[in-house]
Amino acid sequence: MSPQSKSRKRKLGKAPGRRPEQRSPYGALLESAAALRSESWLLADAWASELYATLWLAGSGYAPMVEALKAMDDPAALTALRALAGVGDAETRQSAATAAEAVAARGVAEPDWYSAGAALEFRDAFLVTNLLGDVEVVAITQERAGAAETVLFMRQPVLGATAIELFATPDEGTVALLEDMIASTPDAFRDVITPLSATDVYDRVWPDVEQFWEDGPDEEAEEGLIGSEDVRHPVQLIALADARVSALVPQGYEIPAVSPERTDEVVEAFLASDHGVADVEAARAFARIVAAAAVEQNRDPVVYGPASLTAVLILNVAARVHVSDEDLALLPEIVRAWAYFTVDARDLPRDEARAAWDDELPTVLAEFSEAYVDPELVAERDGQFR
């Protein structure tokens, strides 16, 4: 007999028990929010961003929680709403802020860190990369209510954000924070710190934020919320990143597009270089594919490193075009020539950068070769290399 078909009659001889109290589904949330009241706005934003990510991964609606908190005369509820008003897109931030004002109007005490009217103000931003520019760290520092806060975006061209970290900016400033990062990870980054404007940061990072939301959650994203310090994933702070990056530019700002003419310019520059490829038409076909792929991604075509080149070889060659056996045999030579060309086009330290490419190219070509024979990608191809 299933549990559903068993008799629900109360057994004789037993007094009716007291109906158990129903706990609020927001009990744990309120408990953790209460602990934030005497902390900092920085920690409150991080808490809210992770809560936002948890709801997103679970497919839960945001509005019911905000409405429930709005109905509570509880300082913890107000704390949660003030924190939630700092993360996510403009619409969700506004809904939390409106709810918070309604709770505050009933005389509920504000969290210690909250300052009415305080807004994020851009202070400075910087870029650090590895030698070939395939790993970037973008640091943006903003001030709010007298406190400076720095967000670090670890990203790769084509692949997007790989991690996001949040810091209380040291008294020495953002540069000191980056100098410490460079020193603590020998050989990972160039010892060059490049200033960025607010729009520079937006142009570079906002597409990553949009791409993250569009791609949707994955298993790694879920692991990023399990609380292990060994698991880092941008899902934890993507809602915070959305708010921080969107605050950099005025409403209606549009990222400048790389001109389609840039494809032809770079292809011709490659062919005019000392590329050493005997089959010029094969070199032209390859250069056009990788240059056009970069322009489609709104990147300059000469900005390639091992990870971005591997991604484009898989996504734009292995998954899209048939390559003859003769051309497949030429690819290692053509890919090396293209890699060397990008070194000169970007004015990188020639010997050092070429040596770095030489170390990475066997892996790049091996990953492409493996992808090229993948039956799923074979089935997708509908074009020709040349």
Side-chain angles (χ1 to χ4, degrees):
M1 183 180 292
S2 71
Q4 288 79 10
S5 62
K6 287 182 180 177
S7 171
R8 290 178 173 80
K9 290 182 180 179
R10 181 168 49 84
K11 292 182 180 180
L12 295 176
K14 280 198 172 183
R18 183 179 178 183
R19 179 177 295 179
E21 286 187 24
Q22 290 187 341
R23 286 197 64 186
S24 166
Y26 300 106
L29 184 154
L30 292 170
E31 185 177 344
S32 60
L36 289 171
R37 291 186 58 73
S38 59
E39 293 292 345
S40 67
W41 214 329
L42 181 79
L43 288 177
D45 278 0
W47 173 89
S49 187
E50 189 155 335
L51 173 60
Y52 193 107
T54 301
L55 294 170
W56 181 60
L57 290 173
S60 303
Y62 182 87
M65 178 186 66
V66 170
E67 286 302 309
L69 293 171
K70 180 180 177 180
M72 300 179 191
D73 292 334
D74 187 332
L78 181 54
T79 300
L81 289 169
R82 291 298 188 197
L84 289 164
V87 302
D89 61 24
E91 183 179 349
T92 53
R93 294 198 307 272
Q94 184 57 53
S95 68
T98 300
E101 290 301 322
V103 177
R106 297 197 296 267
V108 176
E110 297 278 8
D112 295 346
W113 41 263
Y114 177 70
S115 177
L120 292 166
E121 296 182 5
F122 176 77
R123 191 172 84 175
D124 54 36
F126 300 91
L127 170 70
V128 174
T129 74
N130 65 349
L131 177 60
L132 297 177
D134 232 13
V135 176
E136 298 182 350
V137 174
V138 177
I140 167 180
T141 297
Q142 293 158 304
E143 293 185 0
R144 177 178 55 184
E149 304 167 2
T150 299
V151 186
L152 294 187
F153 299 90
M154 278 60 71
R155 64 182 305 273
Q156 291 183 322
V158 183
L159 302 177
T162 56
I164 304 171
E165 297 189 3
L166 182 63
F167 299 91
T169 313
D171 293 338
E172 298 83 358
T174 317
V175 170
L177 185 67
L178 291 171
E179 287 173 341
D180 183 64
M181 179 196 74
I182 293 169
S184 64
T185 51
D187 303 322
F189 299 102
R190 299 178 72 190
D191 191 13
V192 177
I193 300 175
T194 304
L196 298 176
S197 68
T199 53
D200 288 337
V201 175
Y202 185 89
D203 295 350
R204 214 173 198 98
V205 176
W206 183 250
D208 295 349
V209 176
E210 289 189 310
Q211 178 184 333
F212 192 91
W213 291 129
E214 289 171 7
D215 289 348
D218 55 21
E219 291 181 2
E220 290 184 1
E222 293 177 6
E223 292 174 2
L225 287 172
I226 64 177
S228 169
E229 293 183 0
D230 297 329
V231 180
R232 307 194 67 83
H233 195 282
V235 69
Q236 294 169 299
L237 291 179
I238 193 67
L240 181 145
D242 191 313
R244 297 300 173 95
V245 178
S246 62
L248 294 171
V249 295
Q251 189 174 4
Y253 173 84
E254 294 185 5
I255 297 174
V258 175
S259 170
E261 296 174 358
R262 184 66 176 143
T263 297
D264 292 334
E265 292 174 2
V266 171
V267 170
E268 294 309 314
F270 172 59
L271 295 177
S273 69
D274 186 19
H275 55 75
V277 180
D279 192 327
V280 175
E281 290 311 307
R284 182 190 302 276
F286 176 84
R288 181 158 295 280
I289 289 173
V290 293
V295 170
E296 287 174 7
Q297 298 153 359
N298 211 33
R299 298 188 299 111
D300 191 278
V302 300
V303 182
Y304 267 104
S308 53
L309 185 55
T310 300
V312 168
L313 283 173
I314 293 172
L315 297 173
N316 293 74
V317 180
R320 292 190 184 182
V321 298
H322 296 279
V323 186
S324 69
D325 290 343
E326 293 79 8
D327 286 341
L328 282 173
L330 291 173
L331 272 184
E333 177 188 6
I334 297 173
V335 170
R336 176 169 281 103
W338 175 262
Y340 285 3
F341 164 71
T342 65
V343 168
D344 294 338
R346 298 165 63 191
D347 199 25
L348 297 176
R350 195 176 201 202
D351 292 342
E352 186 182 358
R354 286 190 170 194
W357 269 115
D358 288 340
D359 289 340
E360 296 289 345
L361 282 174
T363 301
V364 172
L365 293 166
E367 292 189 13
F368 164 73
S369 297
E370 182 180 351
Y372 192 76
V373 297
D374 185 320
E376 291 186 8
L377 297 186
V378 171
E380 292 181 15
R381 292 176 201 142
D382 57 4
Q384 296 294 328
F385 178 67
R386 61 167 170 159

